[in-house]
Every structure is written in C-alpha cells, then in structure tokens.
Amino acid sequence: MTEDVLSQYLRAARAGLDAIEATQLPATRQAARLFADAILADRLVHVFGTGHSRMAVEEMFPRYGSFPGFHPIVELSMSFHNPVVGANGQRQAMFLENVQGFGPVLWRNFATSPADVLLAVSSSGCNAVTIDVAAEAKRLGMTVVALTSLANAAVSTSKHESGRKLHEIADLVLDHKAPPGDSSVWVDGLETPVSPLSSVTGCALINMVKAETARLLTEAGRPPKVLTSACHLGPDRARALFEETYDDYRRRIGVLYR
C-alpha cells in the first residue's frame, strides 16, 4: 500500500529542505553577497518569473519580512491564472511564455546597469521567455542568478530557440531540489502524482537568501527598511515603517527610468 499521502508530502518537503541545507548554503551566501553589493551600490536586484514562479517573485518583495532593493517583475499576461479558460486563460499564458525574443522587449523599458543583478525563477528552467530575459540581462552586463530545479531541468526540454536551459545561462544557480515534474505525492489508483514541492523549497531558498542579504546590509551599516507586523514594533511604528519602506522602494526604482 502506498504511504499515507500526507506523510508523503511532508517527507518529500523535509527531504528537499535537508538537501538544500546539505548542498546549497555556499551558493545561497554567494547570491546574498551579489544582492547586497547591488543594493549597497543603490542599484537593484530584478526578480523575474512567469507562471507559478510569480509566487517566488512576490515572496521576495513586497512581502512582510521583506525590504526594498529587489525589483519584482511580473507580466500579467503570463501569470494571471484565475480565469483559467476564456479571456486571459491559462492556454494563452502558456503559449505566450514560449514566445521567442521577449527579453530585449522587456529590458527596453528600463535603464539597467551592469551593477544590477537578475534573479530568474523557473522550476524546469525551460520556458523560452525566462531564458530569453536571462540571456538579454547577461548581454546587458548583469549578473544572473537562477532559482531552479536541476532534477526537473534534466528531464525537460528547452523551449528556447538556442536550446539552452536557464541554469546553463546563469552565473550562479540556486537548486531548490524539487523532483522531476515537481509533484511529489502518489495516490493509489491515480496515474500521475500531485502536490508540487517547489512552492515550499523555492520559497525556502528565497527567504534564506533574503535573510543573509539583510544580515550583510546591516553589517555594512545600511540596515534595510523592512515591512514589519505590528506585533513586533507596535502599530504606530509598524505603520510608519510601512510608509518608509514604500518610499524607499519608490526612490530606488527611480534609477530605472532616468
């Protein structure tokens, strides 16, 4: 008999997190150093993902316990899943995320700098748009960090015309250890697995690198302004910090439009 499905998922999540702890701490620290250096230089860490990778993008910022310096880039045409079918449906989104040549079109909107960093998020690392955005970022001189699953990439086929996958373009790879196909639970009588793991392991890595980046910024004498719950500081200070955080974000992203 198949292991209880609840235990299956918890076991898979623990195994993924244990694998991250065993293998990804050096890369996580390296990514945080890149991110902190960009933020200390008053530049930005762009965070891009399509589809359900949008969750990891928004986990980085804006999220309680997060701070400015990260620039989330989410294209609604490739990440607005609620309608599922009809106008703005999932079929269109999945089609669009494999359109070639998107990278130069996206980056043309911003005045980027080689001091910027891109964190590109894709579990399989194979959709054309994310690969194209990463490739164009490198051409513009940015350092590229990939958040992906190497096991998933190994069984997936690149949709980009170059044939490359995201981890093959990136300067640094954070492997969130989701299994091939991402889903991790097998149900008796059901031919395919359910319950993806990357939401847990990907967001764990996001928050690990966020924590280390905050430590480095604070160590450098530039502690970040953090979106903080009232339970930590009281309602008045939390409300004031909320406004200060968004003011700081507005100031920081101004460099992209000069």
Side-chain angles (χ1 to χ4, degrees):
M1 180 178 177
T2 306
E3 179 185 10
D4 174 76
V5 295
L6 307 185
S7 297
Q8 274 193 67
Y9 191 81
L10 290 171
R11 179 172 54 80
R14 290 189 190 101
L17 294 174
D18 287 346
I20 287 171
E21 185 173 20
T23 66
Q24 298 303 299
L25 299 190
T28 302
R29 292 191 176 98
Q30 189 177 348
R33 182 76 265 175
L34 290 169
F35 296 171
D37 286 348
I39 294 169
L40 289 169
D42 285 327
R43 291 304 309 184
L44 291 156
V45 179
H46 308 284
V47 191
F48 180 86
T50 66
H52 294 287
S53 294
R54 171 180 181 156
M55 292 186 290
V57 174
E58 293 181 346
E59 184 72 13
M60 183 63 91
F61 188 83
R63 177 81 161 81
Y64 268 52
S66 65
F67 47 89
F70 298 97
H71 175 222
I73 304 175
V74 171
E75 292 286 323
L76 290 178
S77 60
M78 290 175 275
S79 59
F80 184 60
H81 301 304
N82 300 35
V84 185
V85 297
N88 302 300
Q90 185 69 2
R91 288 188 180 94
Q92 298 94 298
M94 294 178 70
F95 173 83
L96 290 172
E97 70 178 7
N98 287 308
V99 171
Q100 307 292 322
F102 185 83
V105 176
L106 173 73
W107 290 120
R108 184 67 179 82
N109 289 287
F110 307 114
T112 62
S113 163
D116 291 347
V117 179
L118 170 66
L119 174 60
V121 184
S122 173
S123 187
S124 70
C126 288
N127 81 64
V129 163
T130 304
I131 293 167
D132 209 51
V133 166
E136 181 65 6
K138 285 199 71 170
R139 191 192 72 79
L140 292 168
M142 289 180 255
T143 302
V144 174
V145 179
L147 177 60
T148 190
S149 164
L150 294 179
N152 203 357
V155 299
S156 303
T157 301
S158 174
K159 304 295 177 59
H160 193 260
E161 58 193 2
S162 70
R164 292 185 296 174
K165 299 175 184 179
L166 180 60
H167 71 273
E168 295 170 331
I169 291 173
D171 300 290
L172 178 66
V173 176
L174 299 175
D175 183 359
H176 61 54
K177 299 296 181 179
D182 203 353
S183 296
S184 57
V185 173
W186 291 91
V187 176
D188 284 339
L190 184 61
E191 65 177 340
T192 60
V194 297
S195 302
L197 198 65
S198 62
S199 303
V200 172
T201 56
C203 286
L205 267 172
I206 285 286
N207 284 294
M208 289 166 61
V209 76
K210 184 191 301 179
E212 178 66 1
T213 303
R215 187 191 70 80
L216 291 169
L217 293 174
T218 303
E219 185 180 71
R222 298 267 299 275
K225 296 184 182 297
V226 180
L227 291 169
T228 301
S229 171
C231 70
H232 294 298
L233 297 174
D236 292 341
R237 178 58 184 140
R239 190 177 305 111
L241 191 54
F242 182 92
E243 296 297 338
E244 291 171 17
T245 300
Y246 284 127
D247 287 344
D248 187 40
Y249 178 77
R250 182 186 62 209
R251 176 187 66 80
R252 288 178 179 278
I253 65 165
V255 299
L256 297 176
Y257 301 98
R258 294 174 182 168

